Amino acid sequence: MKKIKNSREPLYPDLRAQEEMKIFHIARSFETLGKAYLTSYGFLIIFPSLIISTAKKGGLRAPRHLQKELNSLSILARQALNPKKLTNKLKHDPLGKSQLPDLFISSAKFMEQIGEKELATLYNKVSAYLSKPNNQRKYDDISQLRKEITDLIRFKEIYKELFEILKNCIEENSNEAICKTLTDETKKTLSSFINKTYLLDQIFSLLDLGLQGLYDGILYTAYLARAAEIADYTVGRTEEDEKYLAEIIDHQAEMFELLKRIEETNNQLIKDHELDDFMGQIEEESREFFKKIRRK
C-alpha cells in the first residue's frame, strides 16, 4: 500500500497518467482482496442474521428462509474455491458477478422474517448496487450506503445476549435449542473465555468495526471494478470513463484510509496471540461447517 501511495517513479510523462496508474493498482488490489476474501465476505454477510436469529430464536420461525440463506452461502463457497471460476467468470468484478448479490437477497428475506426490516432494506440496497453494470455504480450511492451501514451495523448488545445464552448452555445445562448444537470442543472453547470480559469486549468491538470495514470493502471493490479494466490504457475510453477516473482520483484518500484500517486490524489480530488463538478455533469450526455443506 505504501509503495503505491508514495510512488514517485517517472513511469509516465505527466501527473495525470501517473495518478491513473496508481488508481489501476488500487483497483487491482481491491479485486485481489475481493477474490481472496470471497468466502469470508459470504460468512460475515450472514453472520448478523445468524446471531440475531439465535438471540431471538428466529431460526425456529423461518427455517425455510434460513436454509435458503445457507444454500446461497454454499454456492458462494464453491465459487471461491474454484480457481477457474475466479479467473474466467468473475474476472475484474469478483463481487458483482459472484453469488454475493444473491446471498444479500436471501439474507434480507430471512431478516424480514425475523423482524429486522431496516437491516433487510440495507441488504437489498447493497445487493442492488452490486448487481448494476460496473459503469452504473456511482460514488454518491456508496457515500449514502456507508452512512446507513455505520448507523445499522452495531451488534455489540446482541453479541452479549448471545454469549449469555451460550454461557447458560455451559453452566446450567440449558434446554435452549442452540445448546443441543454445541459440540464438546465448542463448549471447551467458550468455557475458556466465559470470565474474560476484557477479551470478549475487545472481540465484540472488533466484530462491529470489522463488519463496517467489510461492507466498505465490498462497496469500493464493486465501484473500482471498472477501473481495473480501463485505468491502465487510454484506447477506447469515453468521456464518462474520464469523469469516472477523475472521481476516483478525487476520493482516493478514502480508499487508502480503508486499506490502512484493514492493515491495522490485521496487525492487531497478529499481535494479540490470545485473540488469535480464539479466532483460530472459530476458523477451524467454520471449515468443518463448510465441509458438511459440501458433503450435502
Side-chain angles (χ1 to χ4, degrees), residues 71-137:
N71 290 343
S72 187
L73 176 63
S74 177
I75 294 171
L76 183 72
R78 289 197 294 271
Q79 288 179 334
L81 296 172
N82 189 321
K84 287 186 178 179
K85 284 187 178 180
L86 284 175
T87 303
N88 299 329
K89 182 179 178 182
L90 306 187
K91 296 182 179 179
H92 298 309
D93 190 11
L95 306 189
K97 292 182 178 179
S98 71
Q99 181 72 11
L100 211 64
D102 290 329
L103 180 58
F104 270 111
I105 290 174
S106 62
S107 295
K109 289 180 179 177
F110 178 48
M111 283 192 284
E112 285 175 0
Q113 295 299 310
I114 62 176
E116 296 295 323
K117 297 190 182 300
E118 287 185 315
L119 275 171
T121 298
L122 174 62
Y123 269 39
N124 281 322
K125 288 181 180 178
V126 175
S127 177
Y129 185 81
L130 296 179
S131 299
K132 290 179 179 180
N134 62 26
N135 63 347
Q136 294 180 21
R137 297 170 189 163

Side-chain angles (χ1 to χ4, degrees), residues 120-157:
T121 298
L122 174 62
Y123 269 39
N124 281 322
K125 288 181 180 178
V126 175
S127 177
Y129 185 81
L130 296 179
S131 299
K132 290 179 179 180
N134 62 26
N135 63 347
Q136 294 180 21
R137 297 170 189 163
K138 306 301 181 184
Y139 180 82
D140 287 346
D141 294 334
I142 287 185
S143 184
Q144 180 58 38
L145 285 171
R146 290 185 69 198
K147 291 177 184 176
E148 295 183 35
I149 287 166
T150 301
D151 290 339
L152 292 176
I153 305 299
R154 295 178 183 274
F155 303 124
K156 198 167 184 176
E157 293 307 312

Side-chain angles (χ1 to χ4, degrees), residues 14-194:
D14 60 82
L15 181 61
R16 172 62 187 241
Q18 291 183 48
E19 288 286 349
E20 288 179 0
M21 182 50 62
K22 187 194 298 183
I23 294 305
F24 169 72
H25 287 303
I26 295 172
R28 284 296 178 89
S29 295
F30 273 96
E31 175 191 327
T32 301
L33 284 172
K35 290 176 179 177
Y37 292 168
L38 196 54
T39 299
S40 298
Y41 280 163
F43 184 75
L44 289 172
I45 284 165
I46 74 167
F47 180 68
S49 67
L50 293 182
I51 63 164
I52 294 169
S53 167
T54 302
K56 295 185 175 182
K57 302 180 182 179
L60 299 177
R61 301 208 311 262
R64 185 169 61 86
H65 287 86
L66 173 59
Q67 189 57 52
K68 285 185 176 180
E69 184 181 46
L70 294 176
N71 290 343
S72 187
L73 176 63
S74 177
I75 294 171
L76 183 72
R78 289 197 294 271
Q79 288 179 334
L81 296 172
N82 189 321
K84 287 186 178 179
K85 284 187 178 180
L86 284 175
T87 303
N88 299 329
K89 182 179 178 182
L90 306 187
K91 296 182 179 179
H92 298 309
D93 190 11
L95 306 189
K97 292 182 178 179
S98 71
Q99 181 72 11
L100 211 64
D102 290 329
L103 180 58
F104 270 111
I105 290 174
S106 62
S107 295
K109 289 180 179 177
F110 178 48
M111 283 192 284
E112 285 175 0
Q113 295 299 310
I114 62 176
E116 296 295 323
K117 297 190 182 300
E118 287 185 315
L119 275 171
T121 298
L122 174 62
Y123 269 39
N124 281 322
K125 288 181 180 178
V126 175
S127 177
Y129 185 81
L130 296 179
S131 299
K132 290 179 179 180
N134 62 26
N135 63 347
Q136 294 180 21
R137 297 170 189 163
K138 306 301 181 184
Y139 180 82
D140 287 346
D141 294 334
I142 287 185
S143 184
Q144 180 58 38
L145 285 171
R146 290 185 69 198
K147 291 177 184 176
E148 295 183 35
I149 287 166
T150 301
D151 290 339
L152 292 176
I153 305 299
R154 295 178 183 274
F155 303 124
K156 198 167 184 176
E157 293 307 312
I158 294 291
Y159 298 145
K160 291 178 180 178
E161 287 180 32
L162 177 58
F163 192 79
E164 284 301 314
I165 293 173
L166 297 175
K167 183 178 177 181
N168 289 336
C169 289
I170 297 167
E171 295 184 339
E172 301 177 8
N173 293 319
S174 171
N175 291 322
E176 292 277 0
I178 188 174
C179 298
K180 299 175 183 178
T181 68
L182 297 179
T183 65
D184 291 339
E185 188 63 31
T186 302
K187 289 180 181 179
K188 182 180 177 181
T189 300
L190 292 170
S191 295
S192 64
F193 290 91
I194 282 177

